[in-house]
Amino acid sequence: MRKVLRKSIRLNDQQIRKLGDLSAFDGSDPLEHVTRAIDEYLKKQKTDVSIPAEKEIHAEITGKVGDATNRGAFWISGIVDRYEFSALILKEPSRSGIDKGRISKLSILDPTIRESTNSFIDCCIVNYDRGWDIKPSKLAEPYYNKVMALLEKVAQ
């Protein structure tokens, strides 16, 4: 079964009136009209999203700097294909780290979305800040795995 994601939309008063008129005209439920319109729109869109294999994903570290508030900890920044990432690596493993390890914070984000929305959380595909805010989805998982493999090498 194929899962279809739909975005929440808000109709204005004029659109609601037109939808009511259309439903009164043909006797259909207004929700049926909306569903049909969304389905028609989605058919016209390219909705096939392929998940890349980890070996096809390029990841590299672009910066490393010590954390001023946590002795022995350091921040790593980098790129993973079209995304950017940053991570806080602690000196010792921690209960609050990913899998009780040394990585205490990790963000993987889309810089294009960040620039257009100016919102950090809206542009993240993965965010861990001493706990999961945004877990890796099936689409984000290969990028997350690639970054984690890179960070594990640095953390040794």
Side-chain angles (χ1 to χ4, degrees):
M1 176 183 247
R2 188 170 167 186
K3 185 175 182 181
V4 177
L5 302 176
R6 296 179 189 239
K7 185 176 181 178
S8 296
I9 59 167
R10 223 178 266 269
L11 300 176
N12 63 35
D13 290 339
Q14 182 183 9
Q15 291 169 321
I16 292 170
R17 278 193 302 278
K18 285 183 179 181
L19 189 57
D21 292 345
L22 181 60
S23 295
F25 177 73
D26 69 2
S28 297
D29 182 7
L31 184 58
E32 189 178 317
H33 287 290
V34 172
T35 303
R36 212 174 315 139
I38 291 171
D39 287 342
E40 192 61 36
Y41 171 80
L42 289 174
K43 281 181 194 173
K44 294 177 184 176
Q45 302 302 309
K46 181 182 177 199
T47 56
D48 294 331
V49 180
S50 60
I51 300 172
E54 286 178 44
K55 64 183 177 187
E56 298 170 356
I57 297 172
H58 171 74
E60 70 179 78
I61 293 173
T62 58
K64 179 179 175 182
V65 64
D67 184 53
T69 60
N70 196 340
R71 190 181 192 110
F74 53 95
W75 284 95
I76 296 287
S77 57
I79 58 168
V80 56
D81 277 354
R82 66 183 185 106
Y83 301 108
E84 297 175 354
F85 70 88
S86 65
L88 177 62
I89 301 179
L90 303 174
K91 184 177 181 179
E92 299 291 328
S94 168
R95 281 186 325 170
S96 64
I98 296 175
D99 297 329
K100 297 185 179 167
R102 293 180 52 201
I103 301 168
S104 174
K105 297 183 181 191
L106 171 64
S107 297
I108 303 174
L109 58 95
D110 187 329
T112 306
I113 294 175
R114 186 173 194 179
E115 189 175 300
S116 67
T117 64
N118 203 23
S119 169
F120 174 76
I121 205 67
D122 287 346
C123 69
C124 286
I125 63 168
V126 173
N127 195 53
Y128 184 91
D129 187 351
R130 292 170 274 170
W132 285 109
D133 298 313
I134 302 172
K135 288 184 175 184
S137 66
K138 280 196 184 276
L139 291 173
E141 193 170 19
Y143 301 102
Y144 168 76
N145 291 339
K146 191 73 167 193
V147 169
M148 287 299 289
L150 190 61
L151 293 175
E152 291 297 330
K153 289 179 186 174
V154 173
Q156 293 178 352

